[in-house]
Amino acid sequence: MSSAAIRLERVSKRFDGRVVAVDDVSLEIAAGEFFALLGPSGCGKTTTLRMIAGFERPDSGRIHVGGADITDVAVHRRDMGMVFQSYALFPHRTVTENVAFGLRMRELPKPEIARRVEAALAQVALTGLEARRPAQLSGGQQQRVALARALVIEPRVLLCDEPLGALDRKLRQQMQFELKELQRRLGVTLVFVTHDQEEALAMSDRIAVMDRGRIEQVGTPAEIYGRPRTRFVADFIGEINFLESEPGAAPRALRPERVRLAPPGEGRVAGAIETANFLGGSTLYRVRGDDGRLLLARETHAGDRAPRDPGQRVGLVWSDEDAVTLER
Amino acid sequence: MRDLPRRPLRAAPDLRHHRKVIASRPTPVAWLIAPAALLFVLFFVLPFAVMATMSFFSHNPVSNPNAVLTFRHYQRFIDDSAGIFHEALLSTLRIGLITTAIALAIGYPLAHWMARMQSRLGHALLLMAVIAPMLTGIVVRTFAWMTLLQDKGVVNTLLISWGFTEKPLPLMYNEFGTVVALVHIYVPFMVLTLTGVIGRIDERLEQAARSLGASRARTFLEVTLPLSVPGILAGSLLVFALSISAYVTPSLMGGTSVLTLPMLIAQQVGTSFNPGFAGALGVILLTVSLAIVVAYNRILARLSGQGNLA
């Protein structure tokens, strides 16, 4: 399966009477990359995806796929697979008919359609459910049908709008692995939209964090998490402490796992644990300093150390090089 | 709780038993349909039963002690010695089918437009435009069509003055005029029924089809149209049922050249005082139209690839 690079060139989209949905976005997605558009609802990530798919036309800017300008190409000629959050399976058609739809539109010979549908269903482990209607499938199975339907046309680009959003947590985690594995095997360029930062961190090669129609930062999950560039990114991804800085100086931030809990008297801040969130492998503590400020500290449970109790007095220790300097 | 001793005691109650208790008692909501059920029995089931019974008696069995069971009303229709009964049935069905087909052809695009309209104001205005004609009575609207379509009416006067024709076109006192007026009167029923169904079709289904390579036309044929079949069915049945039972409009627009079964039935009851034959005509009309409805349902269900719809 061939894959294509995607390039967005100063793309903007405004919906009539409303604020700018996508504001001057430029983006390069490499061929074969697993790329996430991450942000809160209304940040423009879905509109960006829909412009790549062709459901929305940008007001300005150009979109290139595989080196060709596709800004004015109609949706059905773009050769892209799309997986919707609601799956959008045709309720009046069987699993086989759903998956065969794109091949039928391409007017391929019937034997080839049958062969490719069978292979696609085997790929997503749905063999045996060919004659079912979407309503007779579980959420996870519907998700796989949607995936098979989009992939069977061998698209150069696979677009996914919150593909796992409707699944429960356990299944979502399993599908994360499967989707990533499938993408690597096929080598298809995959762009997916999500508001779930954990999902974006877990699955993507690179992430674009969006806020209010603009791209805040693009980078690998490790970069985004470890070196957030702006206050928004730092705050949106995981937990973070914003440190006090001199007036006029750049803001600084510190991940909770970089903060060590020490006996009272040690460290930079003395205070008491206000709440303890037990997370299984670690516990996230909210510590109220004696000067009134709140700080988060994460402690992993090495051995069989029990979580600390709220009320316990502690000192907080960190080193300056663990703090990240933000641009704004 | 008979089978309780055989099971280990658990905190969870026996749900099977529980459900049974709940199901045996009607919920308060069920009582709300009681008035509708009563009306249905009182004003449809009962009259129809009386009518059907009467159609098998020679005279009114309540007032005439000599009344006997007979098949002669049906025999009279089948023999059709006057040569008008079969034609009346055919004319009724023809008017009903053509009216339904045209109402569907006009109503579908309108309903689609309305269902997919983004602007709330536009939707409200369109809805008002569809409903407004229903605020005037059928008689008034039929008279309006008469002033338009009669020989010296608006349409013919214009056509003659523009030189399209020399003699007035026969636009009414025939089935054409009847169908025109019926379509106008019943299109809102079609539109409202269809709008509800089309509006509930997820637009992402159409987008999915587009992304899979279907053109707009293909998307409509493969996705939108099959999924609106329940609406097409409901709207068509409504319009068909209303137009085959219409009385006022065919009488006024059809004049003497159109005779439909409802007109014939009114004659039998009102001037011939033959309720037995009128009842037989009613039963025949109902049977034939039910047969058409069942066939239509089958065909649509097969075309749309869905199971039985009604």
Side-chain angles (χ1 to χ4, degrees), chain A residues 34-307:
Chain A
F34 201 121
F35 195 91
L37 292 168
L38 172 67
S41 61
C43 73
K45 56 188 193 297
T46 300
T47 306
T48 305
L49 190 83
R50 289 173 60 83
M51 284 194 289
I52 300 175
F55 298 132
E56 310 283 354
R57 211 191 166 287
D59 295 334
S60 63
R62 310 301 296 177
I63 299 171
H64 301 260
V65 172
D69 187 335
I70 58 147
T71 318
D72 300 314
V73 175
V75 181
H76 65 291
R77 298 189 201 283
R78 288 196 181 194
D79 262 334
M80 293 185 185
M82 176 102 186
V83 175
F84 293 82
Q85 179 174 15
S86 56
Y87 314 133
L89 298 178
F90 305 128
H92 57 305
R93 297 184 186 278
T94 63
V95 168
T96 300
E97 288 166 344
N98 264 281
V99 177
F101 190 88
L103 301 175
R104 216 153 52 70
M105 293 304 118
R106 283 162 179 74
E107 285 167 0
L108 297 179
K110 274 190 178 164
E112 191 186 342
I113 294 182
R115 189 179 53 72
R116 280 171 68 172
V117 168
E118 196 190 323
L121 289 177
Q123 203 155 48
V124 294
L126 277 177
T127 309
L129 300 177
E130 288 86 353
R132 299 258 188 107
R133 298 277 162 112
Q136 299 168 306
L137 300 176
S138 71
Q141 288 168 337
Q142 291 183 26
Q143 220 279 333
R144 288 157 202 265
V145 176
L147 210 53
R149 186 179 66 175
L151 285 172
V152 77
I153 60 171
E154 300 189 350
R156 299 177 300 161
V157 172
L158 181 63
L159 306 172
C160 303
D161 184 8
E162 305 261 2
L164 311 177
L167 304 177
D168 62 55
R169 198 183 158 79
K170 196 83 192 162
L171 196 56
R172 197 162 63 216
Q173 214 162 44
Q174 187 196 334
M175 285 304 295
Q176 284 178 7
F177 285 117
E178 286 185 24
L179 188 56
K180 198 168 173 175
E181 162 62 21
L182 194 64
Q183 185 266 344
R184 200 168 38 208
R185 207 165 58 213
L186 300 173
V188 65
T189 310
L190 193 152
V191 184
F192 85 110
V193 153
T194 183
H195 66 271
D196 182 341
Q197 39 115 354
E198 277 179 43
E199 193 169 287
L201 291 175
M203 297 172 77
S204 330
D205 295 324
R206 283 195 307 149
I207 299 171
V209 183
M210 293 186 70
D211 181 38
R212 282 175 291 182
R214 291 178 158 273
I215 290 187
E216 287 277 313
Q217 187 174 355
V218 182
T220 65
E223 283 168 2
I224 297 276
Y225 184 81
R227 294 198 298 279
R229 258 188 18 213
T230 65
R231 186 174 265 270
F232 175 81
V233 175
D235 199 26
F236 190 73
I237 312 282
E239 290 82 25
I240 199 125
N241 296 302
F242 291 106
L243 301 176
E244 284 168 3
S245 51
E246 308 293 316
R252 289 163 61 74
L254 186 66
R255 292 287 178 199
E257 59 270 23
R258 302 292 187 185
V259 180
R260 192 166 59 81
L261 294 179
E266 286 181 34
R268 305 181 184 216
V269 174
I273 292 173
E274 200 171 76
T275 46
N277 283 1
F278 180 64
L279 302 170
S282 65
T283 300
L284 189 66
Y285 297 101
R286 192 156 73 155
V287 178
R288 172 77 69 183
D290 293 338
D291 53 359
R293 66 172 152 166
L294 276 172
L295 282 165
L296 296 171
R298 191 195 302 273
E299 197 169 55
T300 50
H301 302 303
D304 53 359
R305 183 163 62 184

Side-chain angles (χ1 to χ4, degrees), chain B residues 191-272:
Chain B
V191 173
L192 293 178
T193 315
L194 279 171
T195 306
V197 174
I198 297 173
R200 263 180 275 122
I201 300 175
D202 189 346
E203 279 184 76
R204 280 166 297 192
L205 295 176
E206 293 164 1
Q207 293 171 354
R210 298 272 287 140
S211 79
L212 289 166
S215 61
R216 275 181 199 283
R218 203 69 199 273
T219 300
F220 176 76
L221 290 176
E222 297 270 354
V223 177
T224 319
L225 193 59
L227 290 178
S228 39
V229 159
I232 294 176
L233 183 70
S236 303
L237 293 188
L238 200 58
V239 172
F240 182 69
L242 287 169
S243 44
I244 59 167
S245 58
Y247 172 71
V248 173
T249 307
S251 316
L252 292 176
M253 295 300 292
T256 51
S257 68
V258 173
L259 181 65
T260 63
L261 274 194
M263 291 162 73
L264 198 57
I265 292 170
Q267 260 175 32
Q268 292 304 316
V269 177
T271 49
S272 307

Side-chain angles (χ1 to χ4, degrees), chain B residues 109-120:
Chain B
L110 195 60
H112 191 274
W113 186 37
M114 209 158 121
R116 288 296 151 81
M117 185 161 286
Q118 300 284 325
S119 137
R120 284 182 168 224

